């Protein structure tokens, strides 16, 4: 199966069956599910991955070779729940990502430390409430997208604000009232132009 790691493709094309960002997210969710110590948390990550891939009529499985590999493949490859590889004309539509290797783990730790440091700077500059909100954003960007906060898109920040923050951060009334200002402070401390996440 062909592996495509292009980061410049925003939409699926003939050469890239899935957007690169979707592949990255699926890989990250898979790793988080494998690392989770709580079964419910692991299930939530796998369900989120399934929802993500369903939008493109894809599925995921883990191939257990010497090193585990994440395999993403089209729904149409399945017959009665089994992939019929001999009947598939274009195997290049399958995508593989290795799941083991120290380099990847080190990269994610670096991202998490970077985001945590930024949240600490927000707290030092603007107080505990904004710091707690910044740490919630750090958790979200590190765990769900494996991205530095400065690279967040408007859509990702909106997802954090509207979905993740109220459901997963257990914010106090004070935190909820301050969230918009907190997000502004995060990007201010990062010295980065904030993405547009509010609806006009």
């Amino acid at each position: 199966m062909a592996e495509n790691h292009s980061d410049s493709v925003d939409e699926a094309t003939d050469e890239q069956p899935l957007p690169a960002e979707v592949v990255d997210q699926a890989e990250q969710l898979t790793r988080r599910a494998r690392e989770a110590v709580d079964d419910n948390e692991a299930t939530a990550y796998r369900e989120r991955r399934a929802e993500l891939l369903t939008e493109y009529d894809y599925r995921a499985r883990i191939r257990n070779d010497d090193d585990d590999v994440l395999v993403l493949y089209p729904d149409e490859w399945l017959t009665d729940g089994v992939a019929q590889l001999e009947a598939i004309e274009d195997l290049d539509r399958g995508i593989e990502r290795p799941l083991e290797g120290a380099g990847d783990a080190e990269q994610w730790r670096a991202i998490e430390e970077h985001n945590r440091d930024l949240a600490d700077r927000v707290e030092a500059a603007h107080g505990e409430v904004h710091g707690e909100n910044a740490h919630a954003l750090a958790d979200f960007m590190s765990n769900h997208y494996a991205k530095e906060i400065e690279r967040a898109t408007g859509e990702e920040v909106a997802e954090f604000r509207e979905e993740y923050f109220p459901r997963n951060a257990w914010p106090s009334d004070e935190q909820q009232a301050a969230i918009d200002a907190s997000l502004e402070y995060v990007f201010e401390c990062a010295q980065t132009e904030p993405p547009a996440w509010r609806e006009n």
Side-chain angles (χ1 to χ4, degrees):
M1 292 184 184
E3 182 179 352
N4 196 323
H5 284 251
S6 172
D7 289 328
S8 61
V9 180
D10 294 324
E11 297 180 354
T13 66
D14 291 340
E15 293 76 21
Q16 169 77 359
L18 283 176
E21 186 165 314
V22 171
V23 177
D24 290 342
Q25 291 179 32
E27 179 184 356
Q28 175 63 11
L29 290 167
T30 300
R31 291 182 181 275
R32 289 297 174 184
R34 288 158 61 91
E35 295 169 0
V37 295
D38 179 80
D39 289 342
N40 291 332
E41 182 183 5
T43 298
Y45 284 128
R46 286 192 290 268
E47 289 176 349
R48 182 179 174 84
R49 181 188 65 192
E51 292 172 1
L52 175 72
L53 295 174
T54 295
E55 296 181 19
Y56 298 88
D57 297 323
Y58 263 68
R59 297 195 186 193
R61 72 178 182 90
I62 306 300
R63 190 179 70 225
N64 302 112
D65 294 332
D66 292 336
D67 294 320
D68 290 347
V69 176
L70 171 66
V71 182
L72 308 178
Y73 57 93
D75 281 340
E76 64 195 59
W77 285 13
L78 292 180
T79 301
D80 296 327
V82 178
Q84 306 294 331
L85 297 182
E86 67 279 0
I88 296 169
E89 296 181 358
D90 185 9
L91 288 174
D92 286 345
R93 293 175 63 201
I95 298 170
E96 298 184 358
R97 286 287 181 90
L99 294 173
E100 299 183 7
D104 291 331
E106 291 173 2
Q107 180 181 2
W108 289 324
R109 279 195 294 270
I111 290 171
E112 186 171 9
E113 289 174 3
H114 171 88
N115 289 341
R116 195 68 59 200
D117 177 69
L118 177 56
D120 286 340
R121 298 205 313 268
V122 172
E123 182 168 354
H126 300 285
E128 182 177 356
V129 170
H130 294 299
E132 289 174 345
N133 288 348
H135 277 286
L137 178 61
D139 287 337
F140 174 76
M141 289 304 300
S142 299
N143 295 337
H144 287 263
Y145 290 102
K147 291 170 65 174
E148 295 175 347
I149 289 174
E150 295 92 322
R151 296 180 56 227
T153 65
E155 183 176 330
E156 289 162 356
V157 176
E159 179 187 355
F160 164 77
R161 186 188 183 283
E162 302 299 329
E163 299 179 23
Y164 179 90
F165 181 69
R167 297 176 185 174
N168 300 91
W170 298 92
S172 65
D173 291 343
E174 193 174 4
Q175 282 180 263
Q176 293 184 60
I179 185 59
D180 285 330
S182 298
L183 292 172
E184 295 285 355
Y185 289 147
V186 167
F187 291 100
E188 178 184 291
C189 285
Q191 298 182 331
T192 301
E193 186 71 21
W197 71 81
R198 299 185 184 91
E199 294 184 0
N200 295 327

